[in-house]
């Protein structure tokens, strides 16, 4: 790598002319080839040279590299051969930077809820969105003529009313309890569907997070503590909540949880002690075991967390809205 050699190479680059695509490609390989490229070898050797000498040589070699690149670009631009592009792909051009996307606000809240429950030993499972009547209703103590079926206006698939889009994630409780022996604590999150008019507060599809916990001697106090822990983890210590008596066919007693949000109380979830009949339906001994369950709408929680006032905006796919959310927002 002496001066004479460098001058010779510089001259060679300067004089090079391409007539065809192949000429140019051979020229490129001669200098940049992975193993035997002249400049590739120079750059490798450069590393072995003592630091002091390296600097000047480095400048010269970089200059040669630029000369070769300029030559290649020149011939690519002038398109020497009629109707033929010289190089379809130029590996020497620096790449354009790609804009990195961000998580959807609903995904951020879902991930956060999963983290919160993992910390207290809940496992996470998912169930199918297409269900049959038994898992979605009957096993949950909602027989065919039960009025509460009307509260969850159902999308049926096919003409067969046995196959439907699940109206809540409580069906996952049934699937899990059928297969596992207590004790267990489980969280499940996913899409649910109800034939509701779309408005700022409701949609025909939304996400539910469902939790259930079965063991010996589980009490309503355990339920309250867990809900309090969840809400504090999501909204901070100063948030106010209340439990209001309610009714669900699969829990007894049942409650609804409201959260105070400046202008008043907002309902955020349903919960209760799992009805012994439900445990019997999945062959769990209701004398020995008891448990609680709760279910909440993720969109509704996200409205409160991010101070959004219209649920429809989540699925408008407006990039200006979606770009604004950061995963580390939480307390
Ligand atoms: N499945 C109920 C609903 O969708 C919510 C719920 C879950 C209530 C678990 C109590 C216990 O409305």
């Amino acid at each position: 790598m002496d001066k004479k050699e460098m001058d010779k190479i510089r001259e060679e680059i300067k004089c090079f002319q391409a007539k065809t695509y192949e000429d140019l490609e051979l020229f490129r390989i001669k200098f940049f080839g992975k193993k035997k490229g002249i400049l590739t070898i120079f750059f490798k050797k450069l590393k072995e040279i003592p630091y002091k000498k390296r600097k000047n040589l480095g400048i010269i070699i970089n200059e040669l590299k630029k000369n070769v690149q300029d030559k290649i670009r020149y011939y690519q631009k002038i398109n020497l051969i009629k109707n033929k592009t010289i190089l379809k792909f130029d590996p020497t051009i620096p790449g354009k930077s790609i804009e990195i996307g961000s998580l959807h606000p609903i995904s951020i809240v879902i991930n956060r809820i999963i983290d919160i429950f993992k910390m207290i030993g809940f496992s996470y499972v998912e169930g199918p969105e297409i269900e049959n009547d038994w898992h979605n209703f009957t096993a949950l103590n909602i027989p065919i003529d039960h009025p509460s079926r009307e509260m969850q206006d159902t999308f049926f698939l096919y003409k067969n009313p046995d196959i439907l889009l699940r109206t809540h994630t409580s069906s996952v409780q049934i699937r899990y309890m059928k297969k596992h022996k207590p004790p267990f604590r489980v969280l499940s999150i996913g899409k649910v569907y109800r034939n509701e008019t779309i408005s700022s507060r409701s949609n025909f599809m939304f996400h539910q997070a469902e939790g259930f916990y079965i063991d010996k001697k589980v009490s309503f106090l355990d339920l309250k503590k867990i809900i309090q822990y969840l809400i504090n983890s999501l909204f901070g210590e100063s948030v106010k909540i209340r439990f209001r008596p309610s009714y669900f066919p699969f829990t007894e007693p049942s409650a609804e949880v409201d959260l105070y949000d400046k202008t008043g109380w907002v309902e955020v979830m349903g919960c209760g002690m799992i009805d012994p009949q439900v445990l019997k339906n999945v062959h769990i001994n209701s004398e020995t075991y008891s448990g609680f369950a709760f279910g909440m709408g993720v969109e509704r929680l996200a409205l409160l967390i991010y101070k959004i006032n219209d649920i429809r905006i989540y699925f408008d796919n407006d990039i200006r809205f979606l770009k604004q959310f950061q995963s580390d927002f939480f307390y």
Side-chain angles (χ1 to χ4, degrees):
M1 288 207 293
D2 56 18
K3 193 172 172 312
K4 243 185 171 178
E5 194 185 357
M6 298 291 184
D7 287 345
K8 214 180 122 202
I9 293 172
R10 187 177 298 112
E11 204 50 32
E12 187 183 342
I13 299 170
K14 207 172 140 193
C15 297
F16 170 77
Q17 287 186 339
K19 289 202 179 70
T20 63
Y21 166 76
E22 281 73 26
D23 288 349
L24 192 59
E25 185 57 4
L26 283 174
F27 176 73
R28 187 185 70 75
I29 292 169
K30 180 166 185 180
F31 290 97
F32 291 140
K34 243 187 173 174
K35 278 194 184 144
K36 292 186 181 160
I38 293 175
L39 290 175
T40 315
I41 292 170
F42 276 2
F43 276 114
K44 259 187 215 152
K45 278 191 187 162
L46 199 59
K47 282 187 202 148
E48 293 153 16
I49 286 171
Y51 186 74
K52 276 188 190 156
K53 278 192 190 169
R54 206 191 293 172
K55 194 178 164 198
N56 282 340
L57 259 178
I59 293 174
I60 297 172
I61 296 173
N62 269 309
E63 219 173 67
L64 293 177
K65 177 181 164 190
K66 193 174 171 300
N67 292 347
V68 177
Q69 283 174 333
D70 287 348
K71 227 5 170 254
I72 293 175
R73 265 177 224 144
Y74 169 76
Y75 279 109
Q76 282 173 335
K77 262 194 208 135
I78 62 166
N79 195 1
L80 264 187
I81 307 132
K82 269 182 214 153
N83 300 328
K84 249 193 183 179
T85 32
I86 282 207
L87 244 191
K88 286 188 191 108
F89 169 64
D90 177 3
T92 64
I93 295 177
K96 279 187 193 152
S97 66
I98 302 167
E99 209 181 315
I100 294 175
S102 56
L103 283 178
H104 192 285
I106 297 299
S107 303
I108 296 175
V109 176
I110 287 176
N111 291 344
R112 178 72 182 135
I113 295 173
I114 293 175
D115 283 349
I116 290 169
F117 279 102
K118 269 198 184 148
M119 302 237 264
I120 52 169
F122 275 63
S123 39
Y124 181 75
V125 300
E126 281 180 6
E129 287 170 30
I130 296 176
E131 264 301 0
N132 61 16
D133 183 283
W134 193 77
H135 290 97
N136 195 82
F137 291 123
T138 309
L140 284 157
N141 218 10
I142 316 176
I144 209 115
D145 49 356
H146 199 283
S148 87
R149 285 200 182 205
E150 270 154 41
M151 273 158 44
Q152 303 188 355
D153 213 345
T154 311
F155 286 114
F156 294 99
L157 300 175
Y158 316 110
K159 283 184 184 136
N160 179 355
D162 191 43
I163 311 290
L164 45 89
L165 289 176
R166 68 176 176 193
T167 59
H168 54 181
T169 38
S170 299
S171 52
V172 185
Q173 279 183 49
I174 299 298
R175 286 191 174 269
Y176 191 90
M177 294 196 289
K178 241 176 31 175
K179 281 210 182 122
H180 297 84
K181 286 215 167 83
F184 43 67
R185 12 186 168 168
V186 181
L187 174 75
S188 181
I189 305 184
K191 293 186 175 72
V192 300
Y193 302 83
R194 294 181 195 179
N195 190 5
E196 281 183 27
T197 318
I198 300 172
S199 72
S200 62
R201 296 250 108 197
S202 60
N203 205 339
F204 65 88
M205 184 284 291
F206 59 99
H207 294 77
Q208 257 190 356
E210 181 102 8
F212 51 98
Y213 182 7
I214 302 211
D215 203 341
K216 291 173 185 159
K217 296 192 186 142
V218 175
S219 73
F220 202 86
L221 181 65
D222 299 312
L223 168 61
K224 283 185 85 172
K225 288 263 173 195
I226 295 238
I227 302 296
Q228 188 77 51
Y229 158 75
L230 166 71
I231 298 291
N232 287 148
S233 308
L234 286 176
F235 293 92
E237 292 299 323
S238 57
V239 69
K240 271 200 282 182
I241 59 168
R242 71 175 181 197
F243 285 76
R244 189 166 35 83
S246 184
Y247 170 77
F248 297 100
F250 36 92
T251 48
E252 180 59 36
S254 305
E256 229 135 349
V257 180
D258 299 336
L259 190 145
Y260 195 78
D261 180 54
K262 278 184 202 128
T263 47
W265 292 101
V266 187
E267 178 199 315
V268 289
M269 74 173 89
C271 60
M273 302 306 292
I274 298 177
D275 194 296
Q277 183 59 47
V278 175
L279 296 180
K280 273 180 208 147
N281 292 345
V282 289
H283 309 295
I284 290 177
N285 187 340
S286 60
E287 301 286 323
T288 323
Y289 290 104
S290 58
F292 63 72
F294 53 87
M296 61 202 139
V298 179
E299 278 78 355
R300 186 73 71 82
L301 284 174
L303 287 185
L304 295 166
I305 290 168
Y306 291 117
K307 314 220 176 324
I308 299 167
N309 51 24
D310 193 323
I311 220 160
R312 286 168 290 200
I313 199 165
Y314 292 129
F315 304 111
D316 279 350
N317 270 346
D318 185 336
I319 205 93
R320 290 165 304 178
F321 168 75
L322 296 172
K323 266 202 317 210
Q324 298 174 41
F325 298 91
Q326 275 158 18
S327 317
D328 55 3
F329 168 82
F330 288 97
Y331 297 91

